[in-house]
Amino acid sequence: MSLTRRTAAELGAMIASGEVSAVEVTQAHLDRIAEVDDKVHAFLHVATESALAQARDVDARRAAGEELGPLAGVPVAHKDIFTTADMPTTCGSKILEGWQPPYDATVTARLRAAGLVILGKTNLDEFAMGSSTDNSAFGPSHNPWDLTRVPGGSSGGSSAAVAAFEAPLSTGTDTGGSIRQPAAVTGIVGMKPTYGGSSRYGLVAFASSLDTPGPFARNVLDAALLHEAFSGHDPLDSTSIDQPVPPVVEAARQADVSGMRIGVVKEFSGEGYQPGVLARFQEACDLLESLGAKVVEVSCPSFTYALPAYYLIAPSEASSNLARFDAMRYGLRVGDDGTRSAEEVMALTRAAGFGPEVKRRIMLGTYALSSGYYDAYYGQAQKVRTLITRDFEAAYEQVDVLISPTTPTTAFRIGERADDPMAMYLADLCTIPSNLTGNAAISVPCGLADEDDLPVGLQIMAPVLGDDRCYRVGAAVEAALQSRWGAPLLDKAPAL
Amino acid sequence: MSAITRDEVAHLARLSRLALADDELDHFAAQLDQIIESVARVREVAAGDIPPTSHALPLTNVFRPDEVRPGLAPDDALAAAPAVEEDRFRVPRILEEEA
């Protein structure tokens, strides 16, 4: 079997036993990137030299008898929204084109400390705003299942890289679904940890009360291994939770749902949901029941207001966060001809450097926060946030986890929703509630839709710091479905 | 009736420090009108006595040890600056020139 088809856990074990070197594993993935990335466009920057240097370092430390972690020498693709002191960080925006940050994000530093080999930086919707990568200033990424379709977003380069076997692992950030939705539409696993479970230090901020780093992988165990590698308390992020990381790896090895109570969110069904998505979801419900779980319907009435509340809260925070792009200290500067004022240069730079979706959200947030509208919009959205939290709390008194389709449809065509913001926003319908409340949630593949043979994701939601439950249920679904299919879902994807 | 007028969008663009062209303003005015009309659904919720949530975690007064650690050297801090003069960020005129 080719090294690029191996799981991260297998590669880590093979490197540890000396069966292959980290350099060989890294080179195999760099070769794969060279072979397919002109079609997939998962990467904005491929760090060939530094990746090989990191791999040589792991091999040397191993040879010297050093005890290394389970992912030492395993390659990872890194979303281009985490700062990296040795690679550009663009956030998919012209305003940061070529920017070389002076420091590493905590997630970046922990990848390095775990011996993971960073292959490069992956494409995204500009500043993580979108569900398709259509909003990247550097062109969209393509879904390996069908190159005319989106790989989801905003972390679409990361999902595409893993689904195209360019990397066994990748990082993402999830503010409204930006890990789970891309994982769902590319047939891989994507996890949004509990808010505060993974550090935001050095993650370029979109909506600070929602942004959460998390892992992508082709299977549940690999996702848990990466989750564990970069998560945990960080004194540099004051919203980071000062508690141990939930036992996610142990849970991923405990594929057992017998006796668990699983709630199906009643509100996530009906109009707007593709029949093939609902069919696979229903099968997953039946499967969980056959595995010994008790599956019941649960109503969360306030969830129907989650989407509008999110599109007030997230843009409000974004309008404030993105004020830092002022053309003064780093990034693009346009129109500084010696006669214009700083304010004029700032406005010209921001107009030239931001794409349409970022401009829309900055203006929407500015509107929601402006006097006269604050109470009716931002204030009211914050109250809805409370009601959604209460719905979750009531649900978790009855059940251990909640499930739903991850996204209402399979991958749509590139450009199809690019100039229809409301249609684009619907991709996050089922994922947003967990962001508003900080809950953990994962997406695992649950088959292909009959209409288009494209992947469907099952979302498993758990309470704050109940991340291990997501992995446990995800592992059970994965094991049962793979034994039914006889192979991982990605084996059905067309060759690139 | 539209939720937001073109003039209001022009005002938002000014507040947001976005020098938008006329055709951009037309385009965004129509889209923002549609988006605001949709998100205004939150106003249907009877939430008079519901406390607002600004953050997922109930955190207050988070402290960390006050340890001295190295900051950025001037060259590193200035490395990505659009313009530099005498170890400082050079910026366009901030104050109106005196007559």
Side-chain angles (χ1 to χ4, degrees):
Chain A
M1 186 194 276
S2 152
L3 288 173
T4 57
R5 307 290 293 195
R6 296 276 184 186
T7 70
E10 286 169 350
L11 290 171
M14 289 165 74
I15 295 166
S17 72
E19 191 181 338
V20 289
S21 68
V23 168
E24 287 171 278
V25 171
T26 299
Q27 190 60 55
H29 286 90
L30 290 169
D31 291 346
R32 175 72 179 169
I33 292 169
E35 184 192 335
V36 301
D37 207 52
D38 59 333
K39 294 176 202 156
V40 179
H41 190 232
F43 285 86
L44 293 178
H45 176 79
V46 179
T48 306
E49 289 314 312
S50 75
L52 288 169
Q54 282 175 278
R56 277 193 296 270
D57 180 57
V58 167
D59 287 336
R61 286 159 65 196
R62 184 87 66 192
E66 203 177 318
E67 190 78 15
L68 300 174
L71 295 178
V74 177
V76 62
H78 202 20
K79 187 177 183 180
D80 199 23
I81 197 164
F82 293 101
T83 57
T84 41
D86 58 350
M87 296 171 211
T89 301
T90 69
C91 299
S93 181
K94 275 188 203 159
I95 212 161
L96 282 178
E97 189 165 9
W99 179 53
Q100 178 80 49
Y103 69 105
D104 271 348
T106 294
V107 169
T108 306
R110 289 188 180 170
L111 294 177
R112 298 189 204 276
L116 281 146
V117 173
I118 301 175
L119 294 170
K121 305 294 287 290
T122 57
N123 197 18
L124 67 158
D125 287 298
E126 187 176 6
F127 289 105
M129 298 179 191
S131 307
S132 65
T133 70
D134 282 340
N135 298 332
S136 169
F138 308 113
S141 300
H142 299 258
N143 191 321
W145 289 81
D146 175 348
L147 295 170
T148 68
R149 293 183 188 257
V150 304
S154 65
S155 315
S158 286
S159 63
V162 168
F165 297 90
E166 294 172 275
L169 300 169
S170 61
T171 61
T173 58
D174 193 313
T175 304
S178 282
I179 291 174
R180 290 161 286 161
Q181 182 260 359
V185 301
T186 55
I188 64 172
V189 177
M191 171 75 180
K192 184 198 92 69
T194 294
Y195 177 88
S198 47
S199 170
R200 291 184 299 107
Y201 180 74
L203 157 60
V204 180
F206 156 20
S208 305
S209 82
L210 307 166
D211 296 342
T212 312
F216 286 99
R218 288 190 294 267
N219 67 76
V220 172
L221 176 62
D222 283 0
L225 288 166
L226 183 59
H227 181 142
E228 189 175 69
F230 67 61
S231 301
H233 182 240
D234 177 14
L236 299 177
D237 172 2
S238 60
T239 59
S240 143
I241 299 175
D242 193 2
Q243 285 189 51
V245 179
V248 292
V249 173
E250 194 187 319
R253 293 196 165 110
Q254 198 179 10
D256 178 10
V257 292
S258 55
M260 280 186 90
R261 300 165 303 162
I262 294 178
V264 175
V265 181
K266 186 180 139 195
E267 283 73 17
F268 289 153
S269 188
E271 202 187 327
Y273 287 80
Q274 189 176 322
V277 169
L278 292 177
R280 290 295 88 80
F281 176 66
Q282 186 54 49
E283 279 176 13
C285 296
D286 297 343
L287 178 72
L288 284 163
E289 192 122 55
S290 76
L291 295 172
K294 187 173 187 312
V295 180
V296 296
E297 190 176 84
V298 172
S299 178
C300 298
S302 297
F303 282 17
T304 50
Y305 292 99
L307 190 77
Y310 174 86
Y311 277 100
L312 289 162
I313 291 168
S316 294
E317 295 189 22
S319 71
S320 168
N321 273 324
L322 272 63
R324 76 192 52 182
F325 300 105
D326 57 8
M328 299 300 134
R329 294 150 300 153
Y330 56 95
L332 187 69
R333 181 184 289 182
V334 169
D336 184 12
D337 61 0
T339 69
R340 291 195 177 97
S341 70
E343 195 177 314
E344 286 167 329
V345 169
M346 204 182 290
L348 285 168
T349 300
R350 288 162 62 83
F354 290 141
E357 180 63 14
V358 173
K359 290 174 182 168
R360 274 191 290 270
R361 295 210 199 180
I362 289 174
M363 288 193 287
L364 181 60
T366 303
Y367 176 80
L369 292 174
S370 54
S371 69
Y373 297 108
Y374 183 96
D375 288 340
Y377 289 102
Y378 183 66
Q380 183 74 5
Q382 287 186 307
K383 291 180 174 183
V384 170
R385 197 170 177 180
T386 305
L387 292 172
I388 291 166
T389 306
R390 290 181 183 176
D391 275 1
F392 267 121
E393 283 167 359
Y396 289 131
E397 280 176 18
Q398 302 169 54
V399 297
D400 301 307
V401 296
L402 292 168
I403 57 172
S404 76
T406 305
T407 183
T409 69
T410 55
F412 45 91
R413 290 193 188 282
I414 292 171
E416 184 183 308
R417 302 185 188 180
D419 205 36
D420 186 352
M422 285 313 301
M424 189 72 88
Y425 297 170
L426 286 173
D428 289 340
L429 194 61
C430 311
T431 46
I432 279 172
S434 302
N435 294 90
L436 291 174
T437 58
N439 291 2
I442 199 168
S443 179
V444 296
C446 66
L448 304 178
D450 294 329
E451 303 91 333
D452 48 25
D453 277 338
L454 290 169
V456 176
L458 170 71
Q459 178 178 229
I460 304 152
M461 297 167 271
V464 163
L465 290 176
D467 305 46
D468 50 314
R469 295 186 200 173
C470 296
Y471 284 102
R472 182 173 168 174
V473 176
V477 169
E478 178 182 78
L481 285 175
Q482 288 199 19
S483 96
R484 183 181 292 178
W485 300 330
L489 188 66
L490 272 171
D491 283 11
K492 295 183 187 162
L496 287 168
Chain B
M1 196 186 101
S2 55
I4 188 165
T5 65
R6 190 180 182 283
D7 283 352
E8 285 173 302
V9 174
H11 180 60
L12 289 176
R14 272 193 303 278
L15 290 176
S16 308
R17 302 290 182 268
L18 291 167
L20 299 185
D22 281 348
D23 58 334
E24 272 188 298
L25 274 178
D26 293 335
H27 196 61
F28 286 136
Q31 289 178 332
L32 285 172
D33 185 57
Q34 191 199 0
I35 296 168
I36 290 169
E37 196 182 300
S38 171
V39 297
R41 282 208 303 126
V42 297
R43 302 171 73 170
E44 297 166 7
V45 181
D49 55 346
I50 304 294
T53 298
S54 60
H55 203 268
L57 305 173
L59 293 168
T60 45
N61 294 342
V62 175
F63 296 101
R64 64 179 151 92
D66 185 17
E67 284 161 355
V68 177
R69 51 190 183 100
L72 291 178
D75 284 350
D76 293 333
L78 294 168
V84 174
E85 200 174 305
E86 296 174 14
D87 261 4
R88 297 177 178 87
F89 295 99
R90 194 185 66 74
V91 302
R93 164 172 66 80
I94 292 170
L95 302 172
E96 290 305 314
E97 298 205 31
E98 293 190 27

